[in-house]
Amino acid sequence: MSLQGKTALVTGSTSGIGLGLAASLAAAGARVILNGFGDVEQAREQIARLGAQPGYHGADLGDPEQIADMMRYAEREFGGVDILVNNAGIQHVAPADRFPVDKWNAIIAINLSSVFHTSRLALPGMRRRNWGRIINLASVHGLVASKDKSAYVAAKHGVVGLTKTLALETARTPITCNAICPGWVLTPLVQQQIDQRIAAGVDPQQARDDLLAEKQPSQEFVTPQQLGELALFLCSEAAVQVRGAAWNMDGGWLAQ
Ligand code: NAD
C-alpha cells in the first residue's frame, strides 16, 4: 500500500510503539511528523533512512497550548495532518488509595485529553481534504482492568469511548477513527514494570516470564512492527468501513 502524499503525525514517537508505527508509515511512503522526548536525533535518523526527512515538534502533550502549537506547525510546514496516530502515553502503578494526585492528573492529560485536543484540531483539515485516519493507541486496559492502574485504565477506557464518538461524528465521510488495543509490548514503558519486579529480587528472565504469564496466553510480546502492519491496514481503503473499532492485538489476553 502506498501512503505517498499523506502526512502522518505520530505522538510519542521517539521510542517504543510510536517509533515503530512511524517507521511503518514512513516505509509506506507517508511524510512523518515525530513528537516526544528523549533521543530525538536517533528517532529522526531512523525514520529518515526509510523515507523523507521527518518533521518534529516537541510539544508536551499534557499542555493543550503546546498541542495547538504542534498542530499549527503541521498545518504550516506539511499542509495539515492526514493520518493522526495518538500514541503518547505514560504509566504509574499504585493502589488507588495511594495513587499520587499529580500522577493521576498527568495520565489523564497525556493519555486521554491530548487525544481530544489533537483530534479536534486535525478534523477540520481532514474534512476540507475529504480524507483522514485517526488511530488511537489505547490498550487492552481500554477494555478490561488490572489492579493498581486506576488512572491508566480510566484514561484508556476514555480513549475507547472517544474513539467511538469520533467515529460516529465522521461516519458519513471518508475519515475513520479506530483504536488499537495492544497487550504487552516490550518497550521502555513495560521494561519499567519488569524492572520493579527485578528490584524486588526476581531474576530478570523470571520477571519477564511472570509478567507475560499473568495476562498474555501466547507468552510472547506483541511487537511494534506487528502493530505497524495493523495501522497500515486501518489506513487502507479496505478498512474504510472499520469505524469505531477497539481492535485488540494481545496474544489472547482478552480471550480469557
Ligand atoms: P514508551 O514509554 O516507549 O513511549 C512513550 C512515548 O511517548 C515516548 O516517545 C515519550 O517521549 C512520549 N511521551 C511521554 N510523555 C509525553 C508527553 N507529555 N508529551 C509528548 N510525548 C510524551 O511507551 P510505549 O510502550 O511505546 O507506549 C506507547 C503507547 O502505547 C502508550 O499510549 C501506551 O499506553 C500504549 N500501550 C503500550 C503497551 C505496552 O505494552 N508497551 C500496551 C498497550 C498500550
Side-chain angles (χ1 to χ4, degrees), residues 208-221 251:
R208 267 181 179 216
D209 291 348
D210 290 351
L211 184 96
L212 286 168
E214 282 165 18
K215 301 283 186 183
Q216 201 144 302
S218 67
Q219 199 64 21
E220 287 181 4
F221 289 103

Side-chain angles (χ1 to χ4, degrees), residues 134-138 159-160 163 177-181 234 244-248:
I134 300 177
I135 300 173
N136 296 327
L137 260 291
V159 169
V160 169
T163 300
C177 179
N178 292 288
I180 294 178
C181 298
L234 292 175
W247 193 318
N248 50 309

Side-chain angles (χ1 to χ4, degrees), residues 11-18 35-38 59-62 86-90 110-111 137-140 152 156 181-190:
T11 68
S13 46
T14 49
S15 89
I17 295 171
N35 157 259
F37 310 138
D60 178 340
L61 294 200
N86 287 305
N87 167 80
I90 58 168
I110 295 164
N111 295 18
L137 260 291
S139 166
V140 285
Y152 189 84
K156 295 299 187 181
C181 298
W184 291 125
V185 186
L186 190 55
T187 66
L189 183 136
V190 165

Side-chain angles (χ1 to χ4, degrees), residues 160-178:
V160 169
L162 176 57
T163 300
K164 292 176 187 173
T165 296
L166 295 178
L168 293 179
E169 291 178 6
T170 52
R172 306 274 307 244
T173 74
I175 302 164
T176 71
C177 179
N178 292 288

